[in-house]
Amino acid sequence: MSTPTDGPDAAPRGGRVLLTGWFSFLHGEATVGDLLALDRVRAVLDRRGTAYDAAWSGGFHPRGLRLDAADPGRYRAVVFICGPLHGPQIEDLHRRFPHCLRIAVGVSVLDAADPAVRGFHRVLARDAPGVPPSLRDLAVSAPRSPAPPVVGVALTRGQGEYGGRRRHEAAGDTLTGWLNGKDCARLDVETRLDPGDWRLAATAAQFEAVVARLDVLVTNRLHGLVTGLRAGVPVLAVDAVAGGAKLTAQAQACDWPALVPVEKADTAGLDRWWAWCLDEGRALARQRSEEFHAAPETALLTGLTAALDGAAR
């Protein structure tokens, strides 16, 4: 749908185009669809050789150009990308850039009479009342980017049984702060099962189905380590108990090297094991998985059966 509005005549001044969206507003939000649509528009403007800037919320992109810092006199046009056209923030956009050509593209029109809609000189909507849907969302044809690794994060901040040796809060803060700076798709995975909570796996098989699809598992849990290696997924483990405890013991028993004591969990060390897990650690994790399935642990079970036999006599 291409809709001219009754907005003021455009009198472009500067030479650049300013790209905006809900991702530009301090109290807006940045969604996957918003940023994919932005990438699609960028690609079109790049092919045309059109100079542009993108305006960002300082809360989402602190180092980017903030909307309130964009000089209206520098731009000949303002393009609003994706999302619904409504609300005072979009109305403010019209007041801030009154002399720019204002275009909305790939948007949803809820009410054609809304001032947020009528302030645009042109509305290129993906959907609007009374208009048969025929235009695909801009995100559909956005340029594809290389996929970053998918990383499961299985953490506990409990385990009170370790008393004064507990460093779980520090370990969790270190790991999550470090991961926040990594270009990866993070997935919070919980080893606790609960058939009554849709967020959690109800069976071990369901949990393992998720783990098997990961590229790396980061954990401070013993069974995070075990389930990752069972699935052939490299695990970066941090033992959150001062001096080491069951996680360190199990890493040694499984002959898995990517174990960091909480006392040594710093950025340099985590980065080193991260790179290893994404490289040679992949092959070693697959090897460990094959070994586990080919030669199941028997010592504990032999002890169990011997104890049972002894108790029966």
Side-chain angles (χ1 to χ4, degrees):
M1 170 184 155
S2 176
T3 306
T5 72
D6 294 332
D9 292 337
R13 294 190 289 168
R16 299 175 72 83
V17 174
L18 182 65
L19 305 181
T20 66
W22 284 99
F23 53 83
S24 306
F25 300 140
L26 181 59
H27 300 294
E29 63 179 10
T31 69
V32 171
D34 291 336
L35 299 195
L36 288 175
L38 171 64
D39 286 345
R40 184 69 180 97
V41 172
R42 279 172 157 168
V44 170
L45 297 184
D46 286 340
R47 285 200 300 270
R48 288 171 50 89
T50 300
Y52 61 85
D53 298 318
W56 297 95
S57 162
F60 179 73
H61 190 359
R63 291 186 294 274
L65 173 67
R66 294 198 319 274
L67 183 59
D68 59 6
D71 177 9
R74 195 162 184 253
Y75 302 101
R76 64 181 178 86
V78 174
V79 178
F80 189 88
I81 302 165
C82 194
L85 290 187
H86 75 97
Q89 291 167 298
I90 297 179
E91 294 176 38
D92 287 343
L93 194 69
H94 301 313
R95 288 189 287 268
R96 178 166 171 75
F97 298 91
H99 302 292
C100 293
L101 173 66
R102 297 184 301 282
I103 304 169
V105 60
V107 294
S108 294
V109 173
L110 285 71
D111 178 2
D114 191 318
V117 177
R118 299 187 68 80
F120 287 100
H121 299 94
R122 199 76 174 179
V123 175
L124 307 170
R126 62 191 175 191
D127 58 88
V131 177
S134 61
L135 298 178
R136 294 192 293 265
D137 185 83
L138 291 171
V140 169
S141 53
R144 291 185 179 273
S145 301
V150 178
V151 180
V153 185
L155 301 179
T156 176
R157 293 178 183 261
Q159 298 185 336
E161 63 269 25
Y162 289 103
R165 297 171 60 201
R166 291 183 64 259
R167 302 291 185 274
H168 293 70
E169 289 80 6
D173 291 345
T174 296
L175 281 170
T176 53
W178 168 73
L179 279 169
N180 199 46
K182 289 294 182 187
D183 181 18
C184 62
R186 293 170 286 273
L187 181 63
D188 185 13
V189 293
E190 173 58 67
T191 59
R192 181 173 65 86
L193 306 179
D194 186 346
D197 188 341
W198 66 268
R199 299 171 187 82
L200 302 178
T203 66
Q206 291 175 10
F207 180 82
E208 290 193 303
V210 174
V211 171
R213 288 161 171 78
L214 301 175
D215 294 306
V216 180
L217 179 61
V218 175
T219 189
N220 65 357
R221 307 200 68 137
L222 182 157
H223 286 114
L225 172 71
V226 170
T227 54
L229 295 182
R230 270 175 54 85
V233 173
V235 179
L236 199 173
V238 172
D239 193 326
V241 179
K246 60 184 177 182
L247 183 51
T248 296
Q250 200 57 218
Q252 293 172 352
C254 294
D255 195 16
W256 182 252
L259 184 285
V260 181
V262 65
E263 301 90 339
K264 298 181 180 180
D266 57 18
T267 297
L270 294 172
D271 281 346
R272 183 169 60 254
W273 282 117
W274 170 267
W276 181 85
C277 284
L278 289 173
D279 187 14
E280 59 206 273
R282 295 176 188 268
L284 185 59
R286 289 193 295 270
Q287 180 181 332
R288 290 291 175 269
S289 177
E290 292 169 0
E291 291 170 357
F292 296 164
H293 291 287
E297 175 63 45
T298 59
L300 290 175
L301 296 179
T302 299
L304 171 64
T305 55
L308 290 173
D309 290 343
R313 286 196 290 271

